[in-house]
């Protein structure tokens, strides 16, 4: 996996400086990998650019996008490491205010024994870190790499296992390994006076203001997206994911403006309610792309599932990872070197259904307190829900409306719906804090200051839905397939533009993505604009209900899971029964989460 891997500790040995000079001299102009030893920093497997001047060492992986044109000019003439060096000399850690892109970087200043280790605003390139026994920093692009540099296999965090069962991934800032941390999006580690401290270096400024005329704003958005696509399509044989949704269709259409007959790729399923090839085909026909489809089968799941689970350095339970992998592998086998993905549009411009649902619940709070607590709630509670079905729905609505945000977002969480203590083994339950997942949500929802309810939900999703989930999913599956991926929607200027669109324009009433849909109304086919949101969902539960091989895969792994003291054995039996007798798709999703956990633990050598 490309990135920066290394260790920082205090050192003033002149021999280390000599070794740094020799290593740096061996670097080619395009930044080939090298091994570097410098005062205070040893780095291995650097895929990017490195430079040292006057006791300051800079190592970068990824693509820097300077918001300050002076540094952009230095980068154009001398390369990103030199631009970073000059920015550090001028501004110190405040250089982060002028920097965007998709990156991780390390700066070590042996003159002052200070350091900066940072990742981009959305953690498009992840960075993991830990402090060693002598106060040095070990860092790398995977938690596994950090463990290797520490020289020992980290013990598993039981809190992280619980967080995985709750979120279906392990959210930052912790990881599944004790003592190993994930640098969160828009964060940097700063070392001063021998102490490492993570800081949030950027927070969006959501400005609720009078918006520009819709035509003018739409033209600006499409111009920014077009520039982002054009920039990321250069230098490689580039194609695009095309699911048939708003974002992938927009990206594919813009790619077609810069590249004649571009290659676009989609995934199909022979399962009712899951296949959206018709919409992807509409977009392809509109923009004249060379559209290709791979149909995923249950046999593909059996073949790839252990490999996919092992590809992640932490347990990862998003079932759409599998179709993402097959789509990327299909594109790589077709000669593509890079794919453009549409991730981010829903989180920038309010496209997820939960935003709409929360708007409905918030209306209850507008009613006067005397009407809610003195009339409606006593009335609803007195009537038996079995006597009037509408009373049951009203009671459920009131119960959810009385839960404050962001906690209410987790009302439909599997552990909350069925009861965490009915699922989680007693041994695990007594060793963890069951409120930690909600505290993680609350902390993110509390930033940025002064934002509207909608923008707070968007910001929360920038971390948990994008950085911790969707980007991790697509990045790792593309790496496994041997292909690069870029995210035009997360271009810094597009993101900044989204913060200038008012909440009432992003979502007008209950209409999700109202502004975005109006902005692309003359660009995308109307059927795509009006269709419900879908994506690359996997019909695992539906297939498992009828496929003996998938049933055997589930039974074998869940039998092993019973011996781990993470999930109650009787719950595992119960969820298999519910999958068989009630709702295969719904319960099959959590069975997938458990299978992926077991496959990951087995691949890592953790025996039950």
């Amino acid at each position: 996996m490309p990135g920066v891997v290394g260790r920082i500790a205090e050192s003033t040995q002149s021999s280390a400086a000599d070794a740094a000079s020799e290593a740096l001299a061996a670097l080619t102009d395009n930044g080939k990998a090298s091994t570097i030893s410098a005062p205070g920093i040893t780095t291995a497997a650097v895929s990017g650019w490195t430079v040292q001047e006057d006791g300051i060492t800079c190592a970068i992986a990824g693509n820097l996008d300077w918001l300050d044109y002076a540094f952009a000019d230095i980068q154009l003439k001398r390369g990103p490491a030199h631009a970073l060096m000059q920015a550090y000399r001028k501004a110190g850690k405040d250089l982060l205010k002028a920097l965007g892109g998709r990156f991780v970087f390390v700066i070590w200043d042996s003159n002052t024994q200070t350091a900066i280790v940072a990742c981009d605003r959305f953690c498009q390139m992840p960075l993991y870190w830990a402090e060693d026994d002598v106060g040095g920093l070990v860092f790398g692009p995977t938690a596994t790499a950090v463990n290797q540099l520490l020289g020992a296999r980290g013990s598993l965090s039981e809190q992280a296992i619980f967080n995985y069962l709750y979120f279906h991934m392990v959210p930052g800032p912790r990881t599944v390994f004790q003592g190993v941390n994930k640098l969160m999006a828009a964060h940097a580690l700063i070392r001063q006076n021998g102490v490492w401290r993570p800081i949030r270096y950027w927070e969006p400024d959501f400005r609720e203001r009078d918006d520009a005329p819709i035509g003018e704003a739409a033209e600006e958005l499409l111009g920014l997206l077009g520039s982002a696509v054009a920039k990321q399509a250069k230098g490689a044989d580039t194609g695009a994911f095309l699911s048939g949704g708003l974002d992938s269709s927009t990206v594919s259409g813009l790619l077609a403006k810069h590249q004649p007959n571009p290659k676009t790729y989609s995934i199909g399923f022979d399962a009712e309610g899951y296949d959206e090839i018709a919409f992807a085909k509409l977009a392809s026909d509109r923009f004249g792309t060379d559209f290709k489809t791979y149909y995923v089968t249950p046999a593909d799941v059996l073949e790839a599932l252990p490999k996919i689970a092992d590809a992640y350095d932490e347990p990862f339970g998003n079932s759409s990872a599998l179709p993402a992998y097959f789509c990327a592998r299909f594109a790589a086998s077709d000669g593509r070197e890079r794919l453009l993905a549409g991730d981010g549009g829903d989180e920038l411009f309010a496209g997820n259904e939960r935003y709409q649902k929360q708007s409905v619940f918030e209306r209850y709070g507008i009613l006067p307190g005397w009407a809610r607590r003195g009339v409606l709630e006593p009335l609803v509670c007195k009537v038996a829900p079995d006597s009037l079905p509408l009373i049951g729905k009203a009671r459920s609505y009131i119960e959810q409306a009385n839960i404050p945000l962001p906690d209410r977002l987790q009302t439909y969480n599997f552990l909350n719906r069925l009861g965490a203590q009915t699922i989680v083994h007693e041994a695990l339950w007594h060793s963890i804090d069951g409120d930690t997942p909600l505290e993680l949500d609350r902390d993110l929802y509390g930033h940025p200051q002064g934002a509207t309810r909608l923008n707070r939900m968007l910001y929360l999703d920038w971390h948990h839905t994008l950085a911790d989930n969707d980007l991790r999913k697509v990045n790792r599956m593309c790496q496994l397939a041997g292909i690069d991926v870029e995210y035009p929607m997360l271009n810094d200027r597009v993101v900044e533009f989204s913060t200038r669109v008012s909440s009432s324009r992003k979502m007008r009433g209950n209409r999700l993505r109202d502004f975005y849909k109006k902005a692309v109304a003359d660009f995308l086919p109307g059927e795509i604009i009006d269709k419900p949101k879908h994506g690359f969902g996997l019909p695992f539960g539906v297939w498992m209900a009828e496929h003996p091989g998938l049933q055997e895969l589930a039974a074998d792994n869940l039998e092993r899971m019973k011996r781990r003291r993470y999930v109650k054995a009787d719950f595992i039996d119960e969820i298999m029964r519910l999958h068989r007798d009630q709702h295969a798709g719904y319960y099959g999703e959590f069975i997938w989460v458990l299978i992926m956990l077991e496959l990951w633990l087995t691949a890592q050598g953790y025996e039950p």
Side-chain angles (χ1 to χ4, degrees), residues 161-399:
I161 296 294
F162 175 76
N163 292 351
Y164 168 80
L165 294 173
Y166 193 95
F167 289 112
H168 306 172
M169 50 79 182
V170 181
R174 305 294 177 232
T175 73
V176 74
F177 299 109
Q178 290 280 12
V180 178
N181 308 288
K182 179 185 179 184
L183 192 60
M184 294 184 69
H187 275 63
L189 282 169
I190 307 295
R191 183 184 189 274
Q192 290 180 317
N193 301 319
V195 177
W196 291 99
R197 182 170 59 94
I199 64 166
R200 179 185 283 107
Y201 68 79
W202 176 79
E203 196 168 86
D205 179 16
F206 290 109
R207 285 158 283 178
E208 297 295 312
R209 68 175 199 183
D210 292 333
D211 294 287
I214 186 67
E216 181 181 320
E219 184 178 354
E220 182 179 1
L221 173 60
L222 287 174
L224 291 170
L225 281 171
S227 296
V229 168
K231 182 176 181 179
Q232 293 173 350
K234 288 182 178 179
D237 194 348
T238 304
F241 287 104
L242 179 55
S243 69
L246 283 173
D247 298 320
S248 67
S249 298
T250 300
V251 169
S252 296
L254 292 171
L255 179 61
K257 285 191 170 186
H258 301 284
Q259 181 178 308
N261 196 33
K263 305 275 188 176
T264 55
Y265 301 89
S266 191
I267 289 296
F269 304 100
D270 187 15
E272 185 177 354
Y274 287 85
D275 189 79
E276 289 206 314
I277 293 299
F279 290 103
K281 187 70 165 57
L282 278 173
S284 176
D285 290 345
R286 166 67 66 92
F287 301 117
T289 76
D290 183 359
F291 178 59
K292 298 187 177 183
T293 303
Y294 182 89
Y295 273 83
V296 177
T297 68
D300 288 327
V301 179
L302 287 171
E303 175 234 322
L305 202 53
K307 177 168 59 177
I308 288 173
D310 186 36
Y312 289 95
D313 61 330
E314 297 185 88
F316 190 74
N318 187 333
S319 63
S320 62
L322 188 138
Y325 165 67
F326 277 100
C327 194
R329 192 176 78 170
F330 186 42
S333 68
D334 195 40
R336 297 318 99 207
E337 298 178 16
R338 176 182 297 165
L339 284 174
L340 303 185
D343 298 81
D346 286 325
E347 292 73 28
L348 294 181
F349 296 103
N352 292 316
E353 289 184 3
R354 54 185 167 273
Y355 310 144
Q356 183 185 69
K357 289 179 180 178
Q358 299 315 311
S359 178
V360 173
F361 288 124
E362 287 294 308
R363 292 172 189 164
Y364 184 70
I366 298 174
L367 296 175
W370 63 264
R372 288 184 279 117
R373 293 185 293 272
V375 180
L376 289 175
E377 292 174 16
L379 178 63
V380 168
C381 290
K382 286 179 182 179
V383 180
D386 293 340
S387 61
L388 290 172
L390 288 178
I391 291 296
K393 291 183 179 180
R395 183 176 298 178
S396 175
Y397 171 81
I398 290 172
E399 288 174 352

